[in-house]
Amino acid sequence: MSIGFLLDSKDSAVVWRGPRKTAIIKQFVEDVAWGELDYLVIDTPPGTSDEHITVCESLAKYNPDGAVIVTTPQNVSIADVRKEITFCKKIGLPILGVVENMSGFVCPHCAECTNIFSTGGGEAMAKELDIPFIGRIPIDPLIGSACEAGKSFIEANKASSSLDALRNFAANYPQPSHATLESSTDKMSE
Amino acid sequence: MAPAPEHCPGTESEQAGKADACQGCPNQQICATAPKGPDPDLPQIKERLSSIKHKILVLSGKGGVGKSTFSSQLSFALAEMNRQVGLLDIDICGPSIPKITGVEGESLHESNLGWEPVYSPAYDNLAIMSIGFLLKDPDEAVIWRGPKKNGLIKQFLRDVYWDQLDFLVVDTPPGTSDEHLSITQYLKAGGIDGAVVVTTPQEVALLDVRKEINFCKKVGIPVLGVVENMAGFVCPNCRGETRIFAPTTGGAAKMCQEMNVPLLGSIPLDPLIARSCDEGKSYLQQAPQSPTTQALKAVFEKIVAAVEKTQI
């Protein structure tokens, strides 16, 4: 579900102030007929404003598992992400872990790794703030290509290790209580 | 979904929040209770802006494309060109400008002239303002809804004593929401020279940036042009080139053609940019000969020429 599906044209700007954004987010939480779901993943814009406050308040009674915090390694990003972590703590949202994205680029021509956006900042922050570190994701042009094509990177690049951090996170995530042992084993071996 | 009321009287109107058409609109309560009539702060804002020759907004539909990096490097470059520059950071939730410009940890001072901006240690002709200077703890989250953010943006424009400026560069958060509407509304009185829209080459970014350009057209902000950031990487080891963020739909060049806006330039990735920003230094000074610096300088010169209406 996305507001993208509600726009007349994909180029239409959604020029809304906070209250209207709040209203649609409440509708997304309360009025979408998801049916039975094992997981609901919520993508958010950057910041700690209307969208974040509203989605947390609306979800509170449904006991959200928590937040995954995504950062890039450099200090400028870490500085903002620390605020996001403060937000989670203040609003009582558990933090499932930190992902350090765009962490290093391995040149496809010579295999030299360049830390375009520095490296290690996310891991260091997680350690300092005593938050689980989910892992690093390198800059891999194929990830971007998969997004551009609307495809699953892992599905399209089974041999790649770029998203191993996320693969492991998903594989080790506590299974929902209503799943049978057999079906969850099938999913983990896919 | 609740669309805007079909016969919305307009948020500034006397009927705002009270007209029949307002029933059911999420903004109704705010419109009904907001004070009507001319904003008493507007004359003071106009006064403050009257000593500023050129105002440039740096926008993007998308987060993480390098707006703050671009805003700060543009400001450093303008200062280097001996212009009087102000850099206003209106990203209330994620104020990166103090760190990137080397003034992290500074606090706001007030004088009888108003809020004093913080001056760059490297350039005494570069003045900076950000909510960052109002926070006691750098990890403090600013958990504000739209109206409170708008209030601070208004204060920035009403209370900051910029003195005479050649350029005011405004760094914005991604999107087309409260901050963007407010800054447009308040700056319009004095005239906005234009917006520079920053993107990266891939369609996932361009999708959002087209919306941003349409926002500019909708609210009447001239688009000075688009900057395509992170356009390719040259390996320092083997000089091999990689298009990390592939322009699967023709990149910014095609988008600019389709939307009839200028492409100001394409800037390649350089790890030294991230490091310069982390250290609060001017990248142009750190790497004066790099291809990225050359590309950035060409963009900056185009912006200055367009705004000061001179030939390059």
Side-chain angles (χ1 to χ4, degrees):
Chain A
M1 178 50 65
S2 162
I3 198 177
F5 305 138
L6 297 157
L7 300 175
D8 292 327
S9 145
K10 66 176 170 65
D11 295 345
S12 301
V14 179
V15 186
W16 288 359
R17 288 193 183 271
R20 280 186 79 190
K21 292 194 283 186
T22 291
I24 190 100
I25 289 169
K26 281 186 178 160
Q27 270 194 282
F28 280 163
V29 172
E30 302 284 351
D31 295 346
V32 173
W34 295 107
E36 295 284 329
L37 284 180
D38 295 308
Y39 295 99
L40 181 64
V41 178
I42 297 165
D43 187 33
T44 63
T48 50
S49 189
D50 291 274
E51 297 89 335
H52 314 84
I53 300 168
T54 301
V55 81
C56 288
E57 284 179 350
S58 304
L59 283 178
K61 60 179 180 276
Y62 303 109
N63 293 318
D65 285 31
V68 173
I69 308 278
V70 182
T71 185
T72 48
Q74 73 273 43
N75 293 341
V76 169
S77 305
I78 300 292
D80 282 355
V81 167
R82 291 175 76 108
K83 290 176 163 50
E84 198 70 48
I85 290 169
T86 304
F87 166 82
C88 292
K89 289 181 175 172
K90 241 181 168 162
I91 214 158
L93 185 63
I95 297 174
L96 301 171
V98 172
V99 172
E100 183 179 305
N101 203 9
M102 303 199 201
S103 188
F105 173 66
V106 176
C107 176
H109 307 287
C110 70
E112 168 98 346
C113 179
T114 308
N115 292 318
I116 300 180
F117 303 113
S118 186
T119 192
E123 185 166 15
M125 176 191 72
K127 196 169 176 188
E128 185 205 328
L129 300 178
D130 199 26
I131 294 169
F133 183 59
I134 292 170
R136 291 186 200 188
I137 298 175
I139 300 172
D140 181 343
L142 292 176
I143 299 178
S145 305
C147 291
E148 295 282 279
K151 299 209 155 75
S152 157
F153 171 85
I154 289 177
E155 204 40 53
N157 302 278
K158 289 188 165 61
S160 166
S161 60
S162 293
L163 287 190
D164 274 0
L166 295 190
R167 211 202 292 249
N168 294 335
F169 175 73
N172 294 319
Y173 199 81
Q175 292 296 307
S177 54
H178 68 265
T180 64
L181 186 60
E182 196 180 344
S183 62
S184 55
T185 312
D186 285 345
K187 282 186 171 66
M188 280 172 71
S189 62
E190 271 167 17
Chain B
M1 168 167 141
E6 209 177 317
H7 300 290
C8 169
T11 53
E12 303 293 309
S13 146
E14 285 293 323
Q15 283 300 303
K18 298 176 183 151
D20 292 336
C22 298
Q23 296 303 318
C25 174
N27 255 350
Q28 185 183 15
Q29 191 54 28
I30 291 186
C31 285
T33 52
K36 299 293 175 301
D39 188 335
D41 291 322
L42 278 184
Q44 170 71 350
I45 291 175
K46 217 172 165 187
E47 167 77 29
R48 294 284 192 196
L49 297 178
S50 64
S51 60
I52 300 174
K53 283 196 196 137
H54 303 292
K55 299 163 212 75
I56 297 175
L57 296 184
V58 179
L59 302 172
S60 178
K62 191 105 190 100
V65 297
K67 273 182 304 319
S68 298
T69 302
F70 185 84
S71 302
S72 47
Q73 302 309 314
L74 170 62
S75 301
F76 281 135
L78 290 170
E80 193 63 40
M81 292 181 208
N82 292 318
R83 306 296 196 274
Q84 289 294 130
V85 190
L87 175 54
L88 175 60
D89 179 6
I90 62 165
D91 189 342
I92 309 292
C93 298
S96 308
I97 294 295
K99 187 187 255 313
I100 298 177
T101 51
V103 291
E104 195 178 28
E106 296 288 337
S107 345
L108 190 66
H109 296 291
E110 275 191 71
S111 71
N112 57 324
L113 295 163
W115 286 8
E116 297 281 340
V118 174
Y119 284 83
S120 154
Y123 299 98
D124 60 10
N125 51 335
L126 171 54
I128 299 145
M129 180 51 61
S130 166
I131 194 181
F133 305 137
L134 295 157
L135 301 175
K136 295 191 178 54
D137 171 8
D139 292 351
E140 191 179 330
V142 180
I143 309 173
W144 290 1
R145 288 192 182 273
K148 216 169 163 186
K149 292 193 283 186
N150 299 336
L152 181 65
I153 291 169
K154 195 194 226 195
Q155 256 196 297
F156 278 157
L157 294 170
R158 189 192 67 205
D159 294 344
V160 172
Y161 175 64
W162 295 105
D163 198 3
Q164 305 281 339
L165 287 181
D166 296 306
F167 283 90
L168 179 66
V169 177
V170 183
D171 187 38
T172 64
T176 50
S177 187
D178 287 275
E179 299 88 332
H180 314 86
L181 285 166
S182 295
I183 196 76
T184 303
Q185 190 184 333
Y186 297 128
L187 284 186
K188 254 190 152 176
I192 299 177
D193 290 72
V196 175
V197 185
V198 183
T199 186
T200 46
Q202 74 279 39
E203 178 60 21
V204 165
L206 298 176
L207 268 174
D208 287 350
V209 171
R210 286 193 199 94
K211 291 176 169 50
E212 196 74 33
I213 293 172
N214 283 329
F215 164 79
C216 290
K217 290 179 176 176
K218 209 172 182 174
V219 299
I221 303 174
V223 177
L224 296 172
V226 172
V227 175
E228 185 183 59
N229 210 5
M230 306 194 199
F233 176 66
V234 176
C235 175
N237 185 47
C238 71
R239 317 304 310 162
E241 285 189 52
T242 311
R243 287 286 225 162
I244 292 180
F245 302 109
T248 57
T249 55
K254 183 130 191 286
M255 179 193 69
C256 287
Q257 209 176 37
E258 286 164 357
M259 301 197 77
N260 199 25
V261 292
L263 175 66
L264 293 171
S266 282
I267 319 292
L269 281 160
D270 181 344
L272 195 49
I273 296 187
R275 195 169 355 142
S276 301
C277 290
D278 276 357
E279 293 173 1
K281 299 191 172 125
S282 164
Y283 166 76
L284 304 172
Q285 295 293 312
Q286 301 291 106
Q289 305 303 326
S290 76
T292 300
T293 294
Q294 302 315 310
L296 278 170
K297 277 190 164 164
V299 169
F300 297 154
E301 280 164 17
K302 280 185 189 169
I303 292 171
V304 171
V307 160
E308 291 182 348
K309 304 223 176 2
T310 54
Q311 298 298 314
I312 295 177

